[in-house]
Amino acid sequence: MSEIFTKVKQLIEEIESASPNSKEELEQFRIQYLGSKNIIKPLFGEIKNVPNEQKKEYGQLVNKAKETAERKFAELQESLEGAAADGNAPDNYRDFDLTRPGEPLELGSRHPIATTLNRITGIFQRMGFTVAEGPEIEDDWHNFTAMNTPEDHPARDMQDTFYLLNSTEMLLRTHTSPVQARTMTAQKPPIRIIAPGRVYRNETISARSHAQFHQVEGLYVDEGVSFADMKQTLMYFAQEMFGTPKIRLRPSYFPFTEPSAEMDVWIGMDNEKNYRLSKGTGWLEILGCGMVDPAVLENCGIDSQKYTGFAFGMGIERQAMRLYDIHDIRLFFENDVRFLKQFAAVI
Ligand code: DAH
């Protein structure tokens, strides 16, 4: 009767040493040992010919054959699939077509406002300015009062303000100037910051104006800061940004500076584009500036007898429009990929 025992033991060895090398060979293994007509099944029937005292041992042995086949199949399957994923599988087991062309990668691009902002920020950083930030939802004090524009001040009408629903206190900042107040109340001079960011005004949206746009604020407060320092700083900026130091400062008015000025950069009018952009004057207005009003310093807890400062604020959209020859400000905010894609090569 040991014959049948030997047969089953040999079968177990055979199963253990099987090494199918392809999907097809693995399937043959499965059919042979685990399929509905597998060769282990009939061995269970043989138990009737085994003497009673050996029945238990025999049953265990056939069970072992079955378990071995199951385990072996699982192992083989896993290792063949693993090898296929590694690209090491025998050729006929590969699930991947390595000759198929890859999917093209969609390249994103920076928004032209972001590249313009980065350029401006870089110029001032090289002069030792650091970047400061403030919230877009601002309170009345930082946006107006601290900036020397109290409740009844006519200059509040210069900027049509979006107030938060049911609030006379919270608003969408109308300019980046409140970052001046936030910085001066938090830190002592010397202060030398720029504050890039988004601002909001209740204005009719057209090709030339929008209810949201971007500004860069600048502030320099220290002992002995003069108007000449401001002029030199802004000239350097014009040189770096527009390739010319030719600027002009026109007297102007802002509640937070005294004296105040507006700065134009010479862009010439030798082509139609510059002619149109400068309204036939050759000058492009890019920023407001001035010496920080002593009242603003005092509002923010800075001794105006000891310190002076200059500040400026510039719009970004108009500069970006000139830089990239864009004629409609609305394009910046529509996020149409056909527009944005054109700036893929711009860093
Ligand atoms: N906040 C002004 C505006 O939005 C721009 C401005 C003018 C900022 C003069 C300044 C400044 O810091 O000194 O129109």
Side-chain angles (χ1 to χ4, degrees):
M1 206 55 253
S2 62
E3 215 174 280
I4 186 81
F5 275 80
T6 313
K7 192 174 164 192
V8 179
K9 280 179 186 159
Q10 274 172 359
L11 182 64
I12 292 175
E13 272 169 37
E14 189 185 302
I15 295 171
E16 279 291 10
S17 60
S19 58
N21 242 337
S22 68
K23 236 178 180 174
E24 289 73 25
E25 284 174 28
L26 182 66
E27 179 59 8
Q28 275 164 21
F29 177 95
R30 191 191 66 77
I31 293 169
Q32 190 172 11
Y33 301 113
L34 299 167
S36 58
K37 289 182 182 151
N38 71 66
I39 60 170
I40 302 176
K41 237 184 219 173
L43 293 174
F44 283 104
E46 293 291 333
I47 199 158
K48 62 181 182 295
N49 303 323
V50 176
N52 276 346
E53 65 277 14
Q54 289 185 322
K55 277 196 196 320
K56 185 177 169 202
E57 195 190 337
Y58 179 77
Q60 284 171 346
L61 196 63
V62 183
N63 262 329
K64 186 180 170 195
K66 189 180 166 213
E67 282 161 20
T68 306
E70 284 166 354
R71 175 178 48 77
K72 186 76 184 176
F73 178 73
E75 282 171 16
L76 288 166
Q77 199 174 34
E78 203 180 292
S79 79
L80 271 177
E81 271 166 14
D86 288 347
N88 292 331
D91 276 348
N92 52 1
Y93 193 70
R94 277 202 185 125
D95 276 340
F96 300 119
D97 177 0
L98 297 181
T99 63
R100 222 179 107 178
E103 300 274 331
L105 271 185
E106 280 282 348
L107 254 200
S109 53
R110 284 197 204 280
H111 195 285
I113 292 295
T115 48
T116 310
L117 269 176
N118 288 348
R119 220 172 123 172
I120 295 170
T121 308
I123 295 169
F124 285 103
Q125 279 175 327
R126 289 198 289 282
M127 284 191 272
F129 285 75
T130 54
V131 174
E133 281 184 331
E136 289 179 23
I137 297 175
E138 190 49 282
D139 56 56
D140 186 90
W141 190 82
H142 287 94
N143 196 80
F144 289 124
T145 311
M147 301 313 291
N148 203 29
T149 319
E151 195 85 36
D152 52 355
H153 199 287
R156 284 211 182 194
D157 300 338
M158 284 163 66
Q159 303 177 355
D160 289 307
T161 310
F162 283 121
Y163 282 89
L164 263 58
L165 208 57
N166 302 328
S167 176
T168 51
E169 187 53 33
M170 300 304 288
L171 46 86
L172 297 180
R173 66 177 179 192
T174 56
H175 51 179
T176 42
S177 301
V179 187
Q180 288 190 33
R182 290 196 170 268
T183 309
M184 286 190 282
T185 49
Q187 117 197 15
K188 293 264 150 289
I191 291 169
R192 192 158 41 180
I193 55 119
I194 51 164
R198 194 187 290 244
V199 302
Y200 304 85
R201 285 184 202 174
N202 191 357
E203 271 172 29
T204 314
I205 296 172
S206 71
R208 292 188 66 84
S209 78
H210 208 285
Q212 53 173 325
F213 54 99
H214 295 78
Q215 289 187 334
V216 173
E217 193 78 11
L219 174 69
Y220 182 19
V221 181
D222 201 355
E223 287 181 52
V225 174
S226 71
F227 198 90
D229 294 326
M230 180 181 84
K231 193 174 159 189
Q232 181 57 40
T233 303
L234 296 177
M235 251 165 78
Y236 177 79
F237 168 71
Q239 170 70 59
E240 293 294 293
M241 192 70 189
F242 297 94
T244 169
K246 193 168 170 184
I247 60 169
R248 90 182 167 183
L249 291 166
R250 281 179 290 104
S252 184
Y253 172 77
F254 298 102
F256 26 89
T257 42
E258 180 58 37
S260 304
E262 275 171 300
M263 185 178 102
D264 302 337
V265 179
W266 178 253
I267 57 169
M269 40 184 178
D270 43 355
N271 60 48
E272 197 212 325
K273 183 180 126 200
N274 287 346
Y275 188 91
R276 186 155 17 88
L277 215 64
S278 66
K279 299 197 188 102
T281 66
W283 294 99
L284 183 69
E285 181 194 323
I286 56 161
L287 58 82
C289 58
M291 299 306 291
V292 180
D293 195 304
V296 173
L297 295 174
E298 294 295 337
N299 286 343
C300 299
I302 289 178
D303 185 352
S304 64
Q305 297 294 318
K306 190 170 176 198
Y307 296 105
T308 53
F310 67 75
F312 56 87
M314 61 178 93
I316 305 310
E317 275 72 7
R318 201 172 323 165
Q319 294 186 57
M321 285 166 87
R322 177 181 143 76
L323 217 54
Y324 302 121
D325 209 0
I326 295 163
H327 300 282
D328 191 326
I329 193 173
R330 290 169 292 199
L331 289 165
F332 290 129
F333 302 102
E334 282 162 4
N335 285 330
D336 184 332
V337 282
R338 290 168 304 178
F339 170 71
L340 298 174
K341 256 187 175 166
Q342 299 172 41
F343 304 95
V346 180
I347 315 246

